[in-house]
mmCIF file of all heavy atoms in Angstrom:
data_model
loop_
_atom_site.group_PDB
_atom_site.id
_atom_site.type_symbol
_atom_site.label_atom_id
_atom_site.label_comp_id
_atom_site.label_asym_id
_atom_site.label_seq_id
_atom_site.Cartn_x
_atom_site.Cartn_y
_atom_site.Cartn_z
ATOM 1 N N ALA A 1410 66.363 95.489 160.924
ATOM 2 C CA ALA A 1410 67.146 94.325 160.508
ATOM 3 C C ALA A 1410 66.712 93.888 159.111
ATOM 4 O O ALA A 1410 65.753 94.402 158.547
ATOM 5 C CB ALA A 1410 66.950 93.176 161.500
ATOM 6 N N VAL A 1411 67.451 92.913 158.578
ATOM 7 C CA VAL A 1411 67.095 92.249 157.318
ATOM 8 C C VAL A 1411 66.682 90.835 157.682
ATOM 9 O O VAL A 1411 67.352 90.180 158.489
ATOM 10 C CB VAL A 1411 68.291 92.205 156.333
ATOM 11 C CG1 VAL A 1411 67.900 91.495 155.046
ATOM 12 C CG2 VAL A 1411 68.794 93.588 156.035
ATOM 13 N N ALA A 1412 65.584 90.365 157.111
ATOM 14 C CA ALA A 1412 65.098 89.024 157.440
ATOM 15 C C ALA A 1412 64.348 88.429 156.253
ATOM 16 O O ALA A 1412 63.949 89.132 155.326
ATOM 17 C CB ALA A 1412 64.185 89.061 158.648
ATOM 18 N N LEU A 1413 64.196 87.123 156.307
ATOM 19 C CA LEU A 1413 63.343 86.415 155.337
ATOM 20 C C LEU A 1413 61.917 86.441 155.840
ATOM 21 O O LEU A 1413 61.651 85.986 156.948
ATOM 22 C CB LEU A 1413 63.805 84.978 155.158
ATOM 23 C CG LEU A 1413 65.083 84.760 154.379
ATOM 24 C CD1 LEU A 1413 65.473 83.295 154.407
ATOM 25 C CD2 LEU A 1413 64.903 85.212 152.938
ATOM 26 N N VAL A 1414 61.014 86.975 155.016
ATOM 27 C CA VAL A 1414 59.588 86.996 155.357
ATOM 28 C C VAL A 1414 58.863 86.402 154.170
ATOM 29 O O VAL A 1414 58.926 86.956 153.065
ATOM 30 C CB VAL A 1414 59.084 88.427 155.646
ATOM 31 C CG1 VAL A 1414 57.610 88.403 155.996
ATOM 32 C CG2 VAL A 1414 59.899 89.066 156.750
ATOM 33 N N GLN A 1415 58.242 85.266 154.367
ATOM 34 C CA GLN A 1415 57.568 84.536 153.285
ATOM 35 C C GLN A 1415 58.484 84.368 152.081
ATOM 36 O O GLN A 1415 58.130 84.694 150.951
ATOM 37 C CB GLN A 1415 56.276 85.233 152.891
ATOM 38 C CG GLN A 1415 55.239 85.201 153.984
ATOM 39 C CD GLN A 1415 53.921 85.808 153.573
ATOM 40 O OE1 GLN A 1415 53.827 86.515 152.573
ATOM 41 N NE2 GLN A 1415 52.891 85.516 154.319
ATOM 42 N N HIS A 1416 59.691 83.890 152.324
ATOM 43 C CA HIS A 1416 60.717 83.589 151.310
ATOM 44 C C HIS A 1416 61.216 84.816 150.562
ATOM 45 O O HIS A 1416 61.780 84.689 149.477
ATOM 46 C CB HIS A 1416 60.204 82.541 150.321
ATOM 47 C CG HIS A 1416 59.726 81.291 150.959
ATOM 48 N ND1 HIS A 1416 60.577 80.401 151.560
ATOM 49 C CD2 HIS A 1416 58.483 80.810 151.145
ATOM 50 C CE1 HIS A 1416 59.871 79.397 152.061
ATOM 51 N NE2 HIS A 1416 58.603 79.635 151.837
ATOM 52 N N GLN A 1417 61.003 86.012 151.105
ATOM 53 C CA GLN A 1417 61.501 87.228 150.498
ATOM 54 C C GLN A 1417 62.412 87.950 151.496
ATOM 55 O O GLN A 1417 62.114 87.987 152.684
ATOM 56 C CB GLN A 1417 60.361 88.188 150.125
ATOM 57 C CG GLN A 1417 59.520 87.715 148.980
ATOM 58 C CD GLN A 1417 58.481 88.768 148.638
ATOM 59 O OE1 GLN A 1417 57.915 89.401 149.502
ATOM 60 N NE2 GLN A 1417 58.247 88.952 147.344
ATOM 61 N N VAL A 1418 63.497 88.508 150.995
ATOM 62 C CA VAL A 1418 64.369 89.307 151.852
ATOM 63 C C VAL A 1418 63.731 90.680 152.009
ATOM 64 O O VAL A 1418 63.441 91.352 151.024
ATOM 65 C CB VAL A 1418 65.783 89.422 151.225
ATOM 66 C CG1 VAL A 1418 66.656 90.320 152.070
ATOM 67 C CG2 VAL A 1418 66.412 88.050 151.080
ATOM 68 N N MET A 1419 63.493 91.060 153.264
ATOM 69 C CA MET A 1419 62.816 92.334 153.550
ATOM 70 C C MET A 1419 63.501 93.047 154.695
ATOM 71 O O MET A 1419 64.188 92.418 155.509
ATOM 72 C CB MET A 1419 61.356 92.086 153.943
ATOM 73 C CG MET A 1419 60.504 91.417 152.894
ATOM 74 S SD MET A 1419 58.791 91.233 153.421
ATOM 75 C CE MET A 1419 58.134 92.760 152.816
ATOM 76 N N ILE A 1420 63.274 94.342 154.776
ATOM 77 C CA ILE A 1420 63.664 95.115 155.949
ATOM 78 C C ILE A 1420 62.547 94.936 156.982
ATOM 79 O O ILE A 1420 61.366 94.979 156.634
ATOM 80 C CB ILE A 1420 63.838 96.609 155.583
ATOM 81 C CG1 ILE A 1420 64.995 96.795 154.613
ATOM 82 C CG2 ILE A 1420 64.032 97.448 156.836
ATOM 83 C CD1 ILE A 1420 66.356 96.425 155.170
ATOM 84 N N ILE A 1421 62.963 94.696 158.213
ATOM 85 C CA ILE A 1421 61.982 94.554 159.291
ATOM 86 C C ILE A 1421 62.334 95.498 160.420
ATOM 87 O O ILE A 1421 63.452 95.989 160.526
ATOM 88 C CB ILE A 1421 61.907 93.098 159.827
ATOM 89 C CG1 ILE A 1421 63.262 92.698 160.422
ATOM 90 C CG2 ILE A 1421 61.446 92.137 158.744
ATOM 91 C CD1 ILE A 1421 63.194 91.479 161.299
ATOM 92 N N GLN A 1422 61.362 95.722 161.293
ATOM 93 C CA GLN A 1422 61.558 96.527 162.498
ATOM 94 C C GLN A 1422 60.832 95.834 163.635
ATOM 95 O O GLN A 1422 59.669 95.436 163.480
ATOM 96 C CB GLN A 1422 61.013 97.930 162.283
ATOM 97 C CG GLN A 1422 61.165 98.830 163.491
ATOM 98 C CD GLN A 1422 60.461 100.158 163.283
ATOM 99 O OE1 GLN A 1422 59.425 100.218 162.612
ATOM 100 N NE2 GLN A 1422 61.026 101.206 163.834
#
Side-chain angles (χ1 to χ4, degrees):
V1411 179
L1413 286 175
V1414 181
Q1415 294 184 344
H1416 305 290
Q1417 290 183 321
V1418 176
M1419 300 182 90
I1420 295 296
I1421 62 164
Q1422 179 186 34

